[in-house]
Amino acid sequence: MSHILAIDQGTTSSRAILFDADLKIAATAQEEFTQHYPASGWVEHAPSDLWASTAATCRAALEKANVRPADIAGIGITNQRETTLVWDRATGQPIHNAIVWQDRRTSAMCQRLKADGFERQVTETTGLLLDPYFSGTKLAWLLDNVDGARARAEAGELLFGTVDSWLIWNLTGGARHVTDATNAARTMLYDIRRGAWSDDMCRMLNVPMAMLPQVLDCAADFGTTRADLFGREIPILGVAGDQQAATLGQACFEPGMMKSTYGTGCFALLNTGATPVSSENRLLTTIAYQLDGKPTFALEGSIFIAGAVVQWLRDGLKIIREAKETQPLAESADPGQDVVMVPAFTGLGAPYWNAECRGAIFGLRRNSGPAELARAALESVGYQTRDLLEAMHADWSATGATGGAATLRVDGGMSASDYAMQFLSDILGAQVDRPQVLETTAMGAAWLAGQRAGIYPGQQGFADTWALQRRFEPGMDAATRDAKYAAWKRAVAAAQVF
């Protein structure tokens, strides 16, 4: 048994990646699925799509690599976080579509809870903010709006889960209703300091605790797959939410280490060690990973729009056909123009958390064109990352910690852009390291399962395998850096006033 099968269930597609005994990729399969938008600000997935695409890509990856199920030592799962599902305990049938993490339908509920004075308790207990982003209010909405759901939940007939729980339930034929600590920590129902579901949070949202899954370590025995799925039973040995899995895949095991993943959005995590750090800058306190019953905590900052700004250039403005065209276009921009783009298409994430803010462009001139817009779009990701890192450093240094992140490890699709990563290094005034393997999310899930199965090394041995593809060094002088960042801050302030 020399391979690990990693399931990477994302927001727009499901992927299966097969890793060999040397943690090298043997095969990959991917399948996109439909996004549902039943109302403005609402985003849903069909639960059957999540499950069917996952099962199909797993089979396809095995077939591509010509690997037998008997060769698979275990399965690791990483998933889109906060997306919320409820299904029947007896039949496994969902009561409604999955409500996706991007969904904003519970904004009014969050505002009411804030007005009632609950946000401080939410933050102290869960490390999160009162925001529709998280699972708890989505679950409450389902119980309140699906006919008969609350009565069935209170009778013990319904189960709640994030996507990992839903996949495990189906993989095991309904034998296991479990999750891991990183996914539990994103629900707004979990006490991250006690390591248990919170009576107070469940009472606040009127959620029956019997619905909640058992919480396990990230590397644990999550059950075995049905024999008919892949030809034999395969143990599920590792689970972590996507951003936490990327933190593991980047081998950010030491306090002060930091990674930033650039996909549709951007998510930066700073390892803070065994102690949860409370943020004074509206960052999230969360669990980075939990092994051997011991949680390691992190500060997390979320940017809603990163790679999505390039998609907007392509699909909205239609000034590019492919993402790779942004680099030469940006390089050709007029150096005398300082166009600043605030891509707040769905509001601003950390450290602002302004759901009502919308996008804006400043500094346009008569001869501004596609090149200047492309450059401003790429640079907006660097500016937003600096916002996150400055907030993180302020919270981290407030604990008395020294030696924080002098280097940022990056991954995700947008990290392939040399222009974006060089500007990121310039505006941060820090090294930016891009690894040889950009599939860090799937690798983190694979490592969890593989080390549990005994075919991959422990933390130090795995960290030693991390390999640099390219290091970006800051080349911008301090005066230019400060002037450009000050212009960004003025633009953000103006966008929030509009």
Side-chain angles (χ1 to χ4, degrees), residues 225-293:
T225 65
R226 294 166 13 212
D228 62 303
L229 280 176
F230 307 117
R232 66 173 282 266
E233 293 183 350
I234 302 174
I236 304 164
L237 300 175
V239 176
D242 52 10
Q243 302 311 319
Q244 281 81 356
T247 302
L248 292 166
Q250 289 277 34
C252 291
F253 294 124
E254 298 298 322
M257 294 186 73
M258 181 183 295
K259 74 89 196 176
S260 192
T261 298
Y262 296 94
T264 300
C266 164
F267 300 87
L269 268 76
L270 170 69
N271 184 326
T272 64
T275 304
V277 174
S278 297
S279 176
E280 298 298 323
N281 296 282
R282 296 183 65 76
L283 300 176
L284 307 178
T285 304
T286 196
I287 295 175
Y289 51 88
Q290 181 170 303
L291 301 171
D292 300 321

Side-chain angles (χ1 to χ4, degrees), residues 290-342:
Q290 181 170 303
L291 301 171
D292 300 321
K294 299 175 182 177
T296 294
F297 294 94
L299 284 169
E300 177 177 328
S302 307
I303 296 169
F304 297 151
I305 301 295
V309 75
V310 175
Q311 294 173 331
W312 178 67
L313 295 179
R314 182 193 66 195
D315 303 333
L317 295 186
K318 302 186 185 305
I319 61 176
I320 58 170
R321 287 170 296 179
E322 296 180 274
K324 64 183 180 181
E325 295 174 21
T326 55
Q327 178 152 330
L329 198 57
E331 289 172 340
S332 69
D334 179 0
Q337 294 192 44
D338 293 313
V339 177
V340 178
M341 181 184 298
V342 181

